[in-house]
Amino acid sequence: ATRTKSVDVERADSGIGQMSARKWRSRASETLSSLQAWEAHRPCTDCGERDLPVETDVQNCNQRRADLCEKCRKRRTERKESVLEFVNTEASYGEDLRIIKEEFYLPMQAAGLLTQEQLLGIFSNIQELIDLNENFLEVLQEEIDQAFDQGDDDLMTVCIGEIFLEFVNMLPAFQTYCLQQSSSVNMLNALEKEKELLRIFLNVSQNDNTALRRMNLRSFLMAPLQRVTKYPLLLSRIIKATTEYHPDHGSLREAKSRIESHLEHINMKTKQEGNTWTLRSFRQDSKKKREVINIEMRETALKTVGWLREETRFVMEGSLQLAQPPDGQWVKKGSKTLKFQNMQVLLLVNMKRVSESSLESAEPGPVKDAVLVLIRDKNNGKFHLLREPLRLSNCIVSTDPDCDDTFELIEIRREAFVFRDSDRARTHHWFRQIRRYSRELGSWKKRRNALPNIMISTPHTRP
């Protein structure tokens, strides 16, 4: 009777029997163990692997870092350091440019130590580099500040690659400076021997001006060369610390490829001009070789049309086969009767700048002009224009349904050209792009009958 009463009391207190209580405690223990096991192997937010240690530090102020594996924590730290190094060294480079202008160029100009032509020969396009550095650094610093304001202490939202590609037009400015560096140093050496006041000014500046850190003018003039060769190294460090799933990973690789191609192009130009010095060389591959050739063609095209670089956009470029039919009879016989030759073709448009943003932004300004530049294949390291650029506002482009692997471009009152690509789809893409900026007159056969009656009145206006 006493035993029964004790059982009744136990049931009245807990509501479950002794056997059930043991099962419940066992299941609760198993569930807790499962939760601890999942916690110990929860997926890393960066790499997705399940090898995280259990976080017991409740005072961890950055919960995102608590969801990272040790490898990704280290990678984020390295990436942050690399991003800050990129920005800080860009600021230091800008300070050296400021010293060149304020401590050397302006005092020498004010004192009349050198003529304006001599100053230009020594300092080259230093003002252009200063402007580019200030704009580039401003955007970089804004991205850093915005990331910290939003609580992104790891700077994961800062996309250096995208920003670099927005300012890719600064690379030709570096090229201009680098190619003139040899003649600049030679001119400075000659003038320093010739002009005693210049020699005294440079010596006093180096020894007494604390802003110069006891460095001479020649050392500061090397700053742009050192900076442009350091870009690939800095980008490589960021790439190494950036996971391939990061949205900036592709842009970083493209930025590194673009700068390396420009460095190889600068080296090629220095050899052509007979200079013995070269910039740091990088491993060549077929992609970089093609990009070097493209850079050379773009420079040739820009020099030919005479447009400002910042107002020019290269819509398409590449190799096309070109033929010049003597008359219209070839249409009946087909394009097989034509003699084609390989040609490098560039489609350029001149943009009206509506803001200070790069021309590669999503919303460029209206088109002022468009041309097609025809360049013969490379010969002995140089490019040769086939003729003056084709101004597309004075051209008609059309296709024939019976010859869908070609399209024809006629410069009104002058010549006719037939183009094709080895790939038919790319031929059609070229046709569509050129048609956007040229006159269009119906189908091929109707256009041929109406062509003699075309009268040129006013220049074609573009939207």
Side-chain angles (χ1 to χ4, degrees), residues 188-244:
L188 178 61
N189 293 336
L191 290 173
E192 192 174 2
K193 293 179 182 178
E194 177 184 341
K195 296 179 178 292
E196 183 179 0
L197 290 178
L198 175 63
R199 185 167 61 254
I200 293 174
F201 168 77
L202 294 177
N203 289 334
V204 171
S205 297
Q206 180 179 354
N207 295 324
D208 299 342
N209 191 340
T210 56
L212 304 186
R213 311 187 298 274
R214 291 194 173 275
M215 294 169 57
N216 57 29
L217 175 57
R218 293 174 186 80
S219 299
F220 282 101
L221 291 177
M222 290 295 294
L225 280 72
Q226 295 169 347
R227 184 58 186 171
V228 73
T229 54
K230 196 171 183 180
Y231 279 135
L233 304 177
L234 294 172
L235 291 171
S236 294
R237 293 177 187 174
I238 301 177
I239 293 172
K240 184 178 179 181
T242 302
T243 176
E244 61 180 356

Side-chain angles (χ1 to χ4, degrees), residues 82-96:
S82 300
V83 168
L84 291 177
E85 180 186 15
F86 188 99
V87 178
N88 292 335
T89 53
E90 186 70 22
S92 300
Y93 160 66
E95 181 64 20
D96 288 343

Side-chain angles (χ1 to χ4, degrees), residues 174-435:
F174 277 106
Q175 175 177 314
T176 300
Y177 186 90
C178 292
L179 293 179
Q180 296 183 10
Q181 178 64 17
S182 180
S183 60
S184 298
V185 172
N186 292 336
M187 177 180 288
L188 178 61
N189 293 336
L191 290 173
E192 192 174 2
K193 293 179 182 178
E194 177 184 341
K195 296 179 178 292
E196 183 179 0
L197 290 178
L198 175 63
R199 185 167 61 254
I200 293 174
F201 168 77
L202 294 177
N203 289 334
V204 171
S205 297
Q206 180 179 354
N207 295 324
D208 299 342
N209 191 340
T210 56
L212 304 186
R213 311 187 298 274
R214 291 194 173 275
M215 294 169 57
N216 57 29
L217 175 57
R218 293 174 186 80
S219 299
F220 282 101
L221 291 177
M222 290 295 294
L225 280 72
Q226 295 169 347
R227 184 58 186 171
V228 73
T229 54
K230 196 171 183 180
Y231 279 135
L233 304 177
L234 294 172
L235 291 171
S236 294
R237 293 177 187 174
I238 301 177
I239 293 172
K240 184 178 179 181
T242 302
T243 176
E244 61 180 356
Y245 304 109
H246 193 280
D248 195 41
H249 190 269
S251 297
L252 284 168
R253 289 194 172 277
E254 182 181 354
K256 180 174 178 288
S257 178
R258 295 285 289 272
I259 182 62
E260 289 180 353
S261 298
H262 269 274
L263 293 177
E264 292 296 343
H265 180 250
I266 293 173
N267 285 337
M268 182 188 70
K269 297 289 286 186
T270 56
K271 292 178 181 179
Q272 291 178 355
E273 295 179 5
N275 295 324
T276 56
W277 66 273
T278 57
L279 298 175
R280 182 180 184 275
S281 180
F282 296 87
R283 185 176 61 182
Q284 285 271 15
D285 56 35
S286 57
K287 182 178 179 181
K288 288 187 177 61
K289 288 180 180 179
R290 290 196 301 271
E291 180 61 25
V292 169
I293 294 175
N294 291 340
I295 295 172
E296 183 75 7
M297 289 194 301
R298 292 176 203 139
E299 288 199 343
T300 302
L302 273 177
K303 188 181 298 184
T304 302
V305 298
W307 296 344
L308 295 177
R309 190 183 304 275
E310 59 270 18
E311 295 183 356
T312 303
R313 186 161 63 93
F314 293 87
V315 179
M316 286 195 71
E317 56 189 40
S319 177
L320 282 178
Q321 295 178 354
L322 176 145
Q324 292 183 267
D327 51 42
Q329 297 300 319
W330 70 272
V331 180
K332 298 179 181 179
K333 301 177 182 179
S335 59
K336 294 181 179 180
T337 61
L338 297 176
K339 183 179 180 181
F340 286 89
Q341 58 178 322
N342 292 326
M343 193 71 53
Q344 297 294 334
V345 181
L346 295 92
L347 174 57
L348 292 73
V349 294
N350 189 230
M351 315 294 294
K352 186 179 296 182
R353 300 186 68 185
V354 295
S355 66
E356 294 299 323
S357 60
S358 171
L359 288 177
E360 296 189 5
S361 59
E363 297 181 358
V367 175
K368 294 192 295 184
D369 202 357
V371 297
L372 208 63
V373 179
L374 309 178
I375 302 178
R376 292 187 183 276
D377 282 347
K378 194 174 181 182
N379 184 20
N380 297 327
K382 296 182 180 180
F383 291 99
H384 302 280
L385 292 173
L386 176 68
R387 63 187 304 284
E388 66 271 15
L390 289 164
R391 198 167 300 277
L392 295 184
S393 59
N394 294 330
C395 293
I396 296 171
V397 60
S398 55
T399 58
D400 186 351
D402 298 330
C403 301
D404 62 346
D405 62 337
T406 61
F407 64 91
E408 187 177 28
L409 182 75
I410 293 184
E411 189 177 18
I412 300 175
R413 296 180 179 173
R414 297 195 65 179
E415 298 176 278
F417 302 89
V418 177
F419 293 95
R420 73 180 181 187
D421 193 281
S422 56
D423 179 65
R424 182 170 300 183
R426 186 162 175 81
T427 300
H428 295 166
H429 183 58
W430 270 100
F431 167 70
R432 289 191 298 269
Q433 290 293 334
I434 295 175
R435 185 176 58 181

Side-chain angles (χ1 to χ4, degrees), residues 2-21:
T2 304
R3 187 177 303 168
T4 303
K5 289 181 180 179
S6 65
V7 172
D8 292 340
V9 172
E10 182 180 355
R11 289 187 177 182
D13 290 343
S14 64
I16 58 175
Q18 190 172 3
M19 185 67 67
S20 299

